[in-house]
Amino acid sequence: MNDTRTLRQPVVVDFASTAFARIKPVAVTAVTLSGAFWGPRFATNIEQTLPSQWDLLESTNRLNNFRRVVGEHDGPFEGLFFNDSDLYKWLEAASWVVARGPNALLEQRIDEGITLIERAQGEDGYIDTYFSVERKDERWTNLRDLHEMYVGGHLIQAAVAHHRATGQRRLLNIAIRFADMLCGRFGSASDGKIEAIDGHEEIEMALIELARETGQAKYLELARFFIKTRGQGLLKGGRFGDAYFQDDVPFDQMESLAGHAVRALYMACGITDLYLETGEEDLLPRLETLWDRLTAHRMYITGGVGSRHDGEAIGADFELPNAQAYTETCAAIGSMMWCHRMLAATGDARYADLFEWTLYNGMLPGWSLDGRGYYYVNPLEDDGGHGRQPWYYCACCPPNVARTIASLPGYVYGTDEHAIYVHLYAESDAQVPLGERVIGLRQRTRYPWDGAVEIQVDGEGEFALKLRVPGWFDSSASLTKAVDESGEAASTGAARTLPKVIVNGKPFDAKLDANGYLEIRRQWQEGDQVQLDLPMTVRVWQSHPKVPENRGRVALSRGPVLYCVERADMPGTDLDELYIDPADIEVEWQPEQLGGVVRLKAASQKRAIESSWGGALYLPLGANAHKGQSEPTTIIAIPYFAWHNRESGPMKVWLNYRGE
């Protein structure tokens, strides 16, 4: 690949010129992740995940699907009809990597991938290898089920990322030709176009990002058309119904997110992008309402979304089964993408809170420690039969993980006109543009295992450094914002607990702003030192009583990390018969275990319930038959993101509570 890089700021989502963004992005290349936690993971993505995924794209014939369009492969189309999108997500991930500097292997494969796409694209701009040979007459005939715009949306996002990363236009030009074809074909019937939408949202946020990249308003207008047209029943819902496709009611009448989880979250991303560009007054309040209701009624403690295997769907309020949880890895990523946009739109730290929580507990479990295994489904309880796979027939999640990890540096910081925001705590070095200046930030921390954070500020002049107070830190807070029975935001009435801040060795009276950030506004000098102390105590969580599976159970967390119990740490123990006593929990650093983790140890009772039942399924109440004999034991809990990295075996997040 020719090295024609220009001086650019490659951001994941470009709010830089967006009038209604309160917080602006920082480039992926502005931050270098290091330290014992994210440093190795970032390297694993580059050295293991992306190369092995390319090999799988090849061995599963996803690349041959492109070659057969130009006669270089004589086999049939293989795989699912949206398999092209796996290549596009891989290209996006690899682009964020090469933005940081040369990588000969990835650059060679990026060039090969772009060449395949370039040659397979039709003269009219159409590109979708499922339809490119024997199904030409079927193009655009089943938008509900066959994902043509979804696939094209991932092409556009890959192209924008590649252009921002390298300054090259080859892939961007392909995406523009495809988008121009859409603009000429779809839109209002009064303009002589086809009024239609795709069954899987994705194209909306892709078109808006293309508008940001090219300055062409027509792409924004087409995205707006797709958003405003959804909800009119055009897709004729099939066996799942219109709500599955978010096509049952217009957005401004939606009461809660429902249907296919990833589609619903991608829809929310696109609508938030539309608000950020246009400031349409009715959009943001509805988005906030949907977020509140999702987090208060339909989200797992992991941050995962999607309780039903049937349709990969969001369930009803409080429908949150543990062993049958679907919680697709892509849905966790979709939630993070939405939180990032809502943070930009509002400046409210609660969106950064959920982004971080979902990163550690919703997305990261979907990726093995060696970088070569993935979960599509992320249950909160398992009998030992669920394990990560190196790939899937429907492989949407693996490259989605890769692009999220590759772009993660771009989510650590943000800026407004007079402030730098610290959204995520992670050992790193950064060069953050602020107006005409570039401020160096050197963050040193063992987070997420330790809440001590030191930030060296290398820059001069007056500005504010805004430090997020994590939601997990505040003992008076819940994991998500409370809502009352009407669905409106409810106040807990409790004052927030604030962490200690020290500047240059002296206590600093940092004020908590209205959005949940501690503000340090001062005249900075080169080398100033900021220390933030976030003591990490173990939190014991209970579920809303309307979640039936979790009655009499508790879950454990420490800092931003949720914990689980795995039989690998307690061989021969039936996890169902453990009853935890959370009154005294020990915290242990285990440098040699699971790549280095903090694990928890708690006293418990192991009850031999079966011994008192004599094989019966039902007995009359009485004679203490429900209690059984018990003996003291110790529960060992590990981070949920690290489960099933040693051996197969049962796992639980929600534990029986001794006091129930």
Side-chain angles (χ1 to χ4, degrees):
M1 183 162 62
N2 294 329
D3 193 3
T4 58
R5 292 182 177 85
T6 56
L7 295 175
R8 304 180 57 78
Q9 288 294 308
V11 294
V12 184
V13 186
D14 192 357
F15 307 131
S17 301
T18 299
F20 296 93
R22 297 182 60 177
I23 298 179
K24 305 295 185 179
V26 168
V28 171
T29 53
V31 181
T32 300
L33 294 174
S34 56
F37 192 89
W38 285 114
R41 284 168 171 80
F42 200 72
T44 294
N45 192 45
I46 297 171
E47 297 165 7
Q48 300 295 330
T49 299
L50 284 167
S52 64
Q53 286 187 4
W54 178 269
D55 293 342
L56 285 158
L57 290 170
E58 187 70 85
S59 65
T60 59
N61 288 315
R62 282 162 168 80
L63 302 183
N64 278 338
N65 287 338
F66 286 86
R67 296 185 182 108
R68 70 189 292 270
V69 175
V70 294
E72 293 181 354
H73 178 72
D74 60 5
F77 178 93
E78 292 197 29
L80 291 168
F81 46 87
F82 53 87
N83 272 6
D84 290 3
S85 64
D86 297 336
L87 171 60
Y88 301 151
K89 280 183 277 190
W90 186 93
L91 287 169
E92 181 182 347
S95 294
W96 296 131
V97 172
V98 301
R100 310 186 67 84
N103 183 305
L105 177 63
L106 293 184
E107 290 187 30
Q108 176 186 349
R109 289 174 173 177
I110 288 171
D111 188 67
E112 183 178 349
I114 293 174
T115 299
L116 289 173
I117 301 164
E118 205 169 40
R119 297 177 65 200
Q121 186 173 36
E123 293 183 3
D124 62 352
Y126 187 88
I127 173 69
D128 189 322
T129 65
Y130 181 75
F131 294 96
S132 292
V133 182
E134 63 270 52
R135 300 182 183 89
K136 290 182 179 180
D137 294 340
E138 299 175 31
R139 296 176 183 178
W140 311 121
T141 59
N142 186 355
L143 288 171
R144 184 187 71 192
D145 301 319
L146 296 183
H147 293 19
E148 284 168 274
M149 292 188 203
Y150 164 86
V151 173
H154 278 299
L155 167 65
I156 292 169
Q157 287 188 312
V160 169
H162 183 257
H163 185 242
R164 289 175 183 168
T166 68
Q168 299 175 22
R169 292 188 59 93
R170 284 179 64 201
L171 192 56
L172 184 67
N173 288 338
I174 295 169
I176 287 172
R177 286 194 293 271
F178 179 82
D180 287 347
M181 178 203 58
L182 292 183
C183 289
R185 187 177 189 90
F186 296 99
S188 173
S190 62
D191 294 330
K193 297 180 180 179
I194 300 170
E195 293 190 352
I197 58 174
D198 195 272
H200 196 312
E201 294 93 332
E202 160 68 21
I203 191 64
E204 298 84 356
M205 57 177 156
L207 285 168
I208 294 172
E209 207 60 42
L210 185 62
R212 291 167 175 155
E213 190 69 3
T214 64
Q216 294 292 314
K218 63 182 178 180
Y219 305 131
L220 173 63
E221 289 307 309
L222 182 57
R224 186 178 188 277
F225 167 80
F226 288 142
I227 288 168
K228 297 293 186 177
T229 304
R230 189 172 296 275
Q232 300 175 22
L234 294 180
L235 293 171
K236 308 298 181 188
R239 81 175 182 91
F240 288 119
D242 290 337
Y244 174 78
F245 302 98
Q246 299 76 49
D247 195 33
D248 53 332
V249 295
F251 172 73
D252 60 7
Q253 298 175 28
M254 281 188 180
E255 298 297 327
S256 58
L257 288 184
H260 187 275
V262 177
R263 301 177 203 222
L265 290 161
Y266 282 13
M267 176 199 71
C269 289
I271 295 170
T272 311
D273 277 328
L274 181 63
Y275 166 78
L276 286 162
E277 293 302 317
T278 66
E280 292 185 33
E281 293 183 358
D282 61 327
L283 297 180
L284 186 58
R286 181 65 57 173
L287 287 162
E288 291 176 313
T289 295
L290 294 178
W291 192 89
D292 286 339
R293 291 178 176 173
L294 176 70
T295 59
H297 297 139
R298 299 182 175 185
M299 179 174 283
Y300 282 91
I301 194 170
T302 60
V305 179
S307 58
R308 296 179 181 175
H309 283 245
D310 188 27
E312 303 180 323
I314 301 170
D317 287 355
F318 307 111
E319 183 188 342
L320 297 166
N322 293 317
Q324 293 302 314
Y326 202 73
T327 50
E328 182 182 339
T329 300
C330 282
I333 293 170
S335 176
M336 292 166 60
M337 291 162 57
W338 186 23
C339 286
H340 179 60
R341 288 161 168 81
M342 291 295 286
L343 177 62
T346 66
D348 195 328
R350 64 188 177 133
Y351 299 110
D353 284 346
L354 185 57
F355 181 101
E356 177 188 69
W357 189 267
T358 306
L359 170 65
Y360 284 105
N361 307 305
M363 189 282 289
L364 206 54
W367 189 42
S368 65
L369 295 179
D370 66 5
R372 290 173 171 262
Y374 311 91
Y375 277 145
Y376 192 107
V377 177
N378 293 274
L380 282 74
E381 182 175 320
D382 187 59
D383 63 5
H386 188 58
R388 292 180 185 83
Q389 303 297 320
W391 199 243
Y392 290 89
Y393 185 66
C394 174
C396 52
C397 296
N400 222 358
V401 168
R403 68 174 181 152
T404 303
I405 298 297
S407 62
L408 187 60
Y411 297 104
V412 177
Y413 298 102
T415 65
D416 64 20
E417 188 176 353
H418 302 293
I420 297 174
Y421 293 77
V422 183
H423 300 315
L424 301 177
Y425 297 108
E427 180 123 343
S428 57
D429 292 274
Q431 296 292 315
V432 180
L434 184 66
E436 299 300 318
R437 296 169 291 181
V438 176
I439 307 299
L441 297 174
R442 184 180 182 185
Q443 191 176 158
R444 293 295 176 261
T445 180
R446 291 184 63 246
Y447 199 93
W449 309 126
D450 191 304
V453 181
E454 297 182 359
I455 301 176
Q456 178 174 306
V457 179
D458 291 322
E460 298 183 350
E462 184 178 348
F463 60 90
L465 186 66
K466 294 200 173 189
L467 309 176
R468 179 176 62 91
V469 180
W472 59 259
F473 170 79
D474 186 358
S475 61
S476 67
S478 65
L479 273 177
T480 56
K481 184 176 180 179
V483 297
D484 61 25
E485 288 301 316
S486 69
E488 299 301 322
S491 173
T492 63
R496 291 200 68 177
T497 304
L498 298 181
K500 295 178 182 178
V501 176
I502 295 173
V503 177
N504 293 333
K506 297 179 180 180
F508 188 93
D509 186 19
K511 303 300 183 183
L512 187 70
D513 71 13
N515 289 318
Y517 288 84
L518 282 173
E519 181 176 299
I520 307 174
R521 185 174 296 277
R522 64 190 302 275
Q523 190 76 27
W524 296 90
Q525 301 294 326
E526 198 82 20
D528 281 346
Q529 302 285 332
V530 175
Q531 293 172 272
L532 178 68
D533 184 21
L534 298 166
M536 289 184 172
T537 58
V538 176
R539 302 288 295 275
V540 182
W541 300 97
Q542 60 182 332
S543 258
H544 192 289
K546 289 184 179 179
V547 182
E549 282 205 14
N550 296 338
R551 292 173 188 159
R553 292 182 173 186
V554 295
L556 306 176
S557 71
R558 181 178 179 272
V561 177
L562 184 70
Y563 279 75
C564 70
V565 172
E566 196 176 23
R567 199 165 67 184
D569 295 301
M570 291 169 288
T573 300
D574 185 344
L575 303 186
D576 289 333
E577 297 188 2
L578 291 175
Y579 286 73
I580 187 173
D581 179 359
D584 186 16
I585 299 177
E586 297 180 34
V587 176
E588 297 182 335
W589 169 243
Q590 297 289 316
E592 304 302 324
Q593 187 176 32
L594 297 166
V597 297
V598 166
R599 73 178 190 180
L600 308 179
K601 293 177 69 175
S604 68
Q605 293 289 322
K606 182 168 64 174
R607 298 186 180 180
I609 296 175
E610 289 299 320
S611 64
S612 64
W613 278 71
L617 181 58
Y618 306 103
L619 284 177
L621 182 63
N624 293 323
H626 63 291
K627 292 185 177 179
Q629 299 178 347
S630 64
E631 62 181 76
T633 188
T634 300
I635 281 179
I636 297 173
I638 63 164
Y640 172 69
F641 69 72
W643 80 281
H644 204 279
N645 274 281
R646 294 171 292 182
E647 60 185 55
S648 297
M651 177 278 298
K652 281 181 178 290
V653 169
W654 288 98
L655 309 173
N656 299 325
Y657 177 38
R658 188 178 69 93
E660 292 294 326

